[in-house]
Amino acid sequence: MGHSDQVVRRRARCLDMYQRRFSNVSQPVSLGMHSSSHQQQDGDAAMQGAHMESPVRYTPYAISPFHRRGSFLKQDQTHVNMEREQKPQRRVEVNRPHGTLGSWFKITIPFGIKYDEKWLLNLIQNKCSVSFIPVEFHYEKMNATFYVENASIASALKNVSGKIWDEDNEKISIFVCPDGIPHSVQRELKPEKVEQVKLAVNQQQALDIQKLPIYSDFMTCDTKMAPNPRKGVAASLHAHEENIPKVMSSGEMDKWKGIEPGEKCVDRSPVCTTFLNNSSNINSILELFPKLLCLDGQQSPGPTLCGLEAHKRLPTCKGSFFGSEMLKNLVLQFLQQYYLIYDSGDRRGLLGAYHNEACFSLSISFNHGDSALSILFKYFKDNRNIKMLQDPYLRGQLLKHTKRDIVDFLSALPKTQHDLSSILVDMWYQTEWMLCFSVNGVFKEVEGQSQGSVLAFTRTFITTPGSSSSLCILNDELFLRGTSHQRTQSALFTLVPTPFSSSMPAFSQEQKKMVKGFSAQSGMNFQCSQKCLHNNQQDYSRAVPVLAPPKVCVPMTESGDLAGAEKPKPNSQS
Amino acid sequence: MRKFRSNWSQGDRERYQERSDSYRERAGTSYLSRERWTHQEVVTSPLPKPVATSSLMASSVDFKTYVDQACRAAEEFVNIYYETMDKRRRALTRLYLDKATLIWNGNVVSGLDALNNFFDALPSSEFQVNMLDCQPVHEQATQSQTTVLVVTSGTVKFDGNKQHYFNQNFLLTAQSTPNNTVWKIASDCFRFQDWAST
């Protein structure tokens, strides 16, 4: 007795399962799909009957064997075919103009095949803060799936995930994808348009993918519908004009309000870097998105093609930035005082400008042609370029610490004349306790071998309010380079290039080794290194302590190795 | 996702888990070997630090340690920053603090929203960094918030524009978690060396 009851109940459950699996369209959907669904059910009944007589035992909670899945798929296709054969009047009435794309979200309940549709939807609705209309509820493989048309609804549904339980007291999860269009809505659109959108989105050309909040759950979305996030996203876009610019500009996602960006999923999308190479694609995209301003962060094709200003341009370069008039006065006054002492011939007066534990370092760059090389050479031994310098000991040595050491070092540099009338200042950080700014300008060396040479500098100061409304320097970084532009030289200076000797003496083996090391460390090529060392014979000995430890001479990879490494590694592309 | 039994989702989850695990593992153990950052995924924790922060906060720690730490942070940061700028531009603002400011050739950009817009609008770039210098910032200025000054120089080619020499400096600030240190940009100042002739 009991046993046969069980069998009956099991059979009823099985029938239920079959009905669910082989019927793609649910009954209670309130969007005018009744007639089609009824037809669907009738059509399936015959097939269902056939399957029921199959001797194979159905196990609803196990993963279906392959052949069953195969038949399910076939059934799906049959269903689609049947839909197409229906009269054209039979269509989904959705509350929007024809031929547009709604903001559709696909809601997936994993293993939802276990659950009766009405029961499940009721359960979700009871927990969900907003009422929703499920579109095209169906079972796909082991999941239950339906669509909703609104981002906030999708978000509310997502919040229900994990807060509902089934009769076995297992948590039910809900996953949301900004993905795909329900079949019924898709058929509303011209097939070519949908294809074009999919094609374009496929090529990651229409959207700034990483800006869209794609859920972390997205990776679980049914791959049959959309193997990757790109395909379905366009369908989620609202085609109405007022929304398009919002999609394009980052940070303005009103449409997505309330939805958390899924950073994990965003990580999985590779950055789009492809350009459109097909003008017809561009046109079809732009037809759909008339206010498209940029294509996935890349320069768009010319405005003549799109009719839009789509070029990316660099912002105009501007002059000094001080933040406020008060700060401007403060900084300029400081600089005037500083360079007055700096250029005076006695730099010991700078002791008052530095904090006891201040830091200073110097770096140089050889970018601007041969003429700067010999001028800059004297600074080379103090050049602190940690990209090239791996030895922690030297890195430490080259950083001057304490005001005493700093001023001693500065005092040893050639006497200078700075041109304050041509300086450019960027005040880039300010708090109650610190004022940070960078000074760009030129100066002339007024003594020494390179007398009259003009160098360009960028000096970065981090200062703190000191006594008597002055600034106290905590960090000071001086970057030197040659000047190659006439404009950067003020009327006060005249550039006197240092001629290189045309004949080179024979280098000894040891000298050759040093040149090689010098070349490696400075990044200059061999010829330049030779020239430098030759022209500065008397400074050669000064350069030696820097080059002597063989480890320093080892060509460095970009990722670098600690100086403790035993073997030199091959130089990677820098 | 915990009780997923079907293969495809588990596989996805495992792959992701593996990626994030290997990042943590690399971060924790390979700081010294300085592996290149090769992951395609977006970075929110650019510079993990294996050393417990408490040791740095102690006043007995000497200056050398600060210098070392600053250098390591600067190196790793610069690698990640310019690669992200060139190849994963949309992820760039994750390296900035919410209230960070950028002064780009005299143009002021303040806050993450504005930074996002700014980097979006900037043409694609190809950076070549030739010089890198850094200093630990004195705590008097930072109220004991570990901060590093990073100065870089090199060349950059923006799409559609000629190549420029540039100078850039950053203020990097450390945000410490129990497992690592995350460095973020508090401030960024960028200039073409020939800005006047552009």
Side-chain angles (χ1 to χ4, degrees):
Chain A
M1 282 303 203
H3 173 73
S4 62
D5 274 347
Q6 276 181 10
V7 169
V8 166
R9 268 200 295 278
R10 204 185 306 129
R11 279 235 179 97
R13 233 174 27 203
C14 288
L15 178 61
D16 223 12
M17 300 297 295
Y18 274 109
Q19 277 180 335
R20 273 185 245 150
R21 293 195 74 183
F22 299 126
S23 135
N24 275 344
V25 179
S26 66
Q27 289 178 5
V29 174
S30 57
L31 290 172
M33 294 171 75
H34 291 235
S35 43
S36 57
S37 72
H38 282 312
Q39 176 144 11
Q40 185 55 47
Q41 297 256 329
D42 293 340
D44 279 338
M47 298 198 202
Q48 284 177 7
H51 278 281
M52 277 301 289
E53 276 143 29
S54 158
V56 177
R57 182 182 164 77
Y58 183 71
T59 48
Y61 297 100
I63 300 196
S64 63
F66 182 71
H67 77 274
R68 230 177 262 280
R69 200 179 297 163
S71 59
F72 171 67
L73 280 175
K74 267 191 231 153
Q75 195 60 29
D76 190 26
Q77 283 168 3
T78 312
H79 157 66
V80 170
N81 289 336
M82 285 174 65
E83 288 275 71
R84 286 218 181 102
E85 281 156 16
Q86 287 163 11
K87 292 177 198 166
Q89 294 94 313
R90 197 185 305 284
R91 53 178 167 75
V92 175
E93 281 161 21
V94 291
N95 271 337
R96 58 179 52 260
H98 298 308
T100 59
L101 302 169
S103 50
W104 290 99
F105 292 81
K106 182 175 177 181
I107 315 295
T108 304
I109 291 93
F111 290 90
I113 197 152
K114 292 192 279 183
Y115 312 122
D116 171 71
E117 179 194 333
K118 270 193 216 162
W119 176 86
L120 178 64
L121 290 172
N122 273 340
L123 182 70
I124 296 173
Q125 183 66 87
N126 285 341
K127 201 74 185 179
C128 183
S129 54
V130 300
S131 74
F132 64 94
I133 298 167
V135 175
E136 269 188 26
F137 184 101
H138 62 284
Y139 297 92
E140 273 178 12
K141 297 185 185 161
M142 303 300 282
N143 307 328
T145 309
F146 60 92
Y147 296 88
V148 294
E149 211 200 322
N150 184 302
S152 50
I153 290 177
S155 170
L157 286 171
K158 169 113 176 89
N159 285 336
V160 174
S161 177
K163 295 178 186 158
I164 46 177
W165 286 266
D166 65 15
E167 286 155 341
D168 299 323
N169 222 23
E170 284 196 339
K171 265 193 202 173
I172 298 174
S173 303
I174 299 178
F175 296 110
V176 178
C177 295
D179 165 68
I181 321 167
H183 285 303
S184 46
V185 174
Q186 262 193 40
R187 280 190 289 278
E188 282 296 296
L189 304 169
K190 291 183 199 155
E192 322 82 65
K193 277 234 165 88
V194 174
E195 236 2 270
Q196 282 166 354
V197 171
K198 282 186 176 168
L199 179 70
V201 180
N202 251 345
Q203 295 170 1
Q204 295 178 304
Q205 287 154 3
L207 301 162
D208 195 347
I209 300 299
Q210 295 214 0
K211 287 277 158 51
L212 293 170
I214 302 174
Y215 291 92
S216 58
D217 315 306
F218 189 85
M219 63 186 86
T220 70
C221 280
D222 187 359
T223 51
K224 189 171 65 154
M225 266 302 276
N228 53 56
R230 293 162 282 176
K231 262 194 183 154
V233 180
S236 315
L237 286 180
H238 207 290
H240 289 225
E241 282 198 357
E242 61 270 16
N243 284 337
I244 300 302
K246 287 180 185 169
V247 175
M248 284 305 139
S249 68
S250 58
E252 292 178 67
M253 294 285 184
D254 292 345
K255 202 167 79 61
W256 305 87
K257 225 179 277 189
I259 298 180
E260 269 178 15
E263 288 187 349
K264 279 192 278 184
C265 187
V266 171
D267 300 345
R268 294 180 79 244
S269 304
V271 169
C272 166
T273 53
T274 55
F275 279 80
L276 281 171
N277 49 22
N278 185 338
S279 61
S280 64
N281 276 347
I282 303 171
N283 287 332
S284 46
I285 293 168
L286 293 169
E287 204 180 344
L288 289 170
F289 309 117
K291 284 196 178 171
L292 193 64
L293 294 173
C294 74
L295 293 169
D296 200 27
Q298 303 297 328
Q299 246 182 349
S300 301
T304 49
L305 192 58
C306 332
L308 299 167
E309 182 48 68
H311 274 300
K312 283 196 175 182
R313 275 188 250 128
L314 292 178
T316 320
C317 295
K318 298 178 183 159
S320 296
F321 174 74
F322 287 98
S324 74
E325 200 60 30
M326 184 209 67
L327 287 173
K328 177 178 172 183
N329 292 334
L330 185 63
V331 169
L332 287 180
Q333 190 184 34
F334 165 81
L335 290 173
Q336 269 165 359
Q337 287 172 348
Y338 185 89
Y339 283 108
L340 191 65
I341 302 172
Y342 199 90
D343 291 344
S344 69
D346 183 359
R347 292 182 178 135
R348 283 175 302 177
L350 294 175
L351 281 168
Y354 286 91
H355 189 278
N356 277 333
E357 291 157 7
C359 286
F360 172 88
S361 60
L362 172 81
S363 57
I364 58 183
S365 154
F366 300 97
N367 294 328
H368 295 270
D370 279 344
S371 58
L373 283 178
S374 56
I375 311 165
L376 288 169
F377 186 78
K378 69 176 80 65
Y379 300 100
F380 187 77
K381 69 175 182 7
D382 298 295
N383 176 26
R384 189 169 183 263
N385 181 354
I386 69 163
K387 198 172 183 326
M388 300 298 231
L389 185 67
Q390 302 301 315
D391 180 5
Y393 173 75
L394 279 176
R395 284 177 171 184
Q397 285 294 97
L398 291 173
L399 180 67
K400 318 296 175 215
H401 188 219
T402 76
K403 64 160 104 177
R404 183 68 50 188
D405 282 357
I406 294 171
V407 174
D408 281 349
F409 173 78
L410 293 176
S411 298
L413 294 181
K415 191 169 174 208
T416 54
Q417 186 182 358
H418 283 74
D419 177 18
L420 289 186
S421 63
S422 65
I423 60 169
L424 174 96
V425 179
D426 281 323
M427 204 213 72
W428 42 270
Y429 199 69
Q430 180 220 342
T431 67
E432 228 178 292
W433 314 281
M434 74 202 274
L435 190 63
C436 312
F437 50 94
S438 296
V439 187
N440 299 272
V442 291
F443 67 91
K444 186 160 66 167
E445 290 185 351
V446 297
E447 69 168 15
Q449 205 196 7
S450 313
Q451 188 174 3
S453 310
V454 175
L455 289 174
F457 72 93
T458 301
R459 195 150 188 174
T460 302
F461 290 101
I462 296 181
T463 65
T464 196
S467 58
S468 60
S469 71
S470 64
L471 295 175
C472 177
I473 306 170
L474 294 167
N475 292 81
D476 179 359
E477 207 281 342
L478 175 59
F479 169 77
L480 300 177
R481 58 179 174 89
T483 58
S484 56
H485 296 272
Q486 291 296 321
R487 274 191 74 172
T488 58
Q489 296 157 30
S490 84
L492 292 174
F493 302 141
T494 54
L495 183 66
V496 178
T498 311
F500 278 101
S501 164
S502 52
S503 65
M504 304 287 269
F507 274 61
S508 70
Q509 268 307 104
E510 206 196 318
Q511 281 175 327
K512 277 188 186 155
K513 201 167 94 179
M514 286 185 176
V515 170
K516 191 172 167 199
F518 183 100
S519 165
Q521 205 209 3
S522 67
M524 290 191 282
N525 62 30
F526 203 78
Q527 277 72 34
C528 282
S529 308
Q530 276 190 326
K531 278 184 188 173
C532 251
L533 289 170
H534 169 64
N535 284 317
N536 293 275
Q537 283 289 328
Q538 62 269 42
D539 292 330
Y540 203 78
S541 55
R542 283 210 287 168
V544 167
V546 182
L547 301 176
K551 287 168 192 168
V552 178
C553 297
V554 170
M556 288 304 154
T557 64
E558 190 178 349
S559 54
D561 287 295
L562 291 182
E566 300 292 82
K567 299 176 208 166
K569 295 238 173 109
N571 213 355
S572 67
Q573 199 269 327
S574 66
Chain B
M1 283 192 73
R2 274 143 293 281
K3 51 185 182 73
F4 257 35
R5 282 156 280 175
S6 73
N7 289 334
W8 43 267
S9 63
Q10 189 67 21
D12 277 354
R13 180 170 164 269
E14 277 172 358
R15 273 197 292 282
Y16 174 76
Q17 196 63 39
E18 186 203 11
R19 275 207 296 271
S20 66
D21 278 347
S22 85
Y23 161 60
R24 270 194 288 276
E25 184 199 354
R26 260 185 4 155
T29 62
S30 66
Y31 201 88
L32 296 182
S33 67
R34 297 216 197 109
E35 284 176 30
R36 260 190 83 80
W37 179 256
T38 53
H39 275 189
Q40 285 304 305
E41 57 185 337
V42 169
V43 178
T44 53
S45 316
L47 297 166
K49 186 177 70 69
V51 180
T53 37
S54 57
S55 68
L56 283 181
M57 291 308 169
S59 55
S60 60
V61 173
D62 67 350
F63 180 67
K64 275 289 287 165
T65 310
Y66 282 112
V67 174
D68 276 348
Q69 188 204 25
C71 288
R72 292 173 189 206
E75 266 189 305
E76 191 140 339
F77 164 77
V78 160
N79 283 340
I80 291 170
Y81 180 86
Y82 291 102
E83 177 158 349
T84 307
M85 166 77 97
D86 287 349
K87 296 178 184 161
R88 291 190 297 277
R89 178 74 66 78
R90 267 172 251 109
L92 192 62
T93 52
R94 289 170 198 262
L95 300 176
Y96 289 79
L97 288 177
D98 286 352
K99 299 233 169 88
T101 50
L102 160 67
I103 314 235
W104 197 93
N105 281 308
N107 294 282
V108 185
V109 186
S110 196
L112 270 186
D113 281 349
L115 284 167
N116 273 315
N117 290 339
F118 181 83
F119 288 122
D120 244 6
L122 216 53
S124 62
S125 59
E126 235 177 270
F127 273 89
Q128 169 73 42
V129 177
N130 298 325
M131 190 286 287
L132 165 62
D133 191 8
C134 67
Q135 297 178 7
V137 177
H138 197 281
E139 61 173 6
Q140 188 166 325
T142 64
Q143 302 296 292
S144 302
Q145 163 83 34
T146 307
T147 305
V148 174
L149 169 68
V150 178
V151 179
T152 62
S153 169
T155 59
V156 61
K157 171 97 175 52
F158 286 103
D159 197 32
N161 295 267
K162 65 171 174 137
Q163 192 181 65
H164 291 276
Y165 289 108
F166 74 91
N167 285 98
Q168 190 162 16
N169 62 64
F170 301 93
L171 215 55
L172 290 190
T173 186
Q175 299 181 316
S176 303
T177 68
N179 294 325
N180 58 27
T181 299
V182 177
W183 297 90
K184 291 229 178 181
I185 303 170
S187 176
D188 177 356
C189 179
F190 179 92
R191 274 266 173 206
F192 290 150
Q193 286 179 4
D194 58 348
W195 68 273
S197 57
T198 53

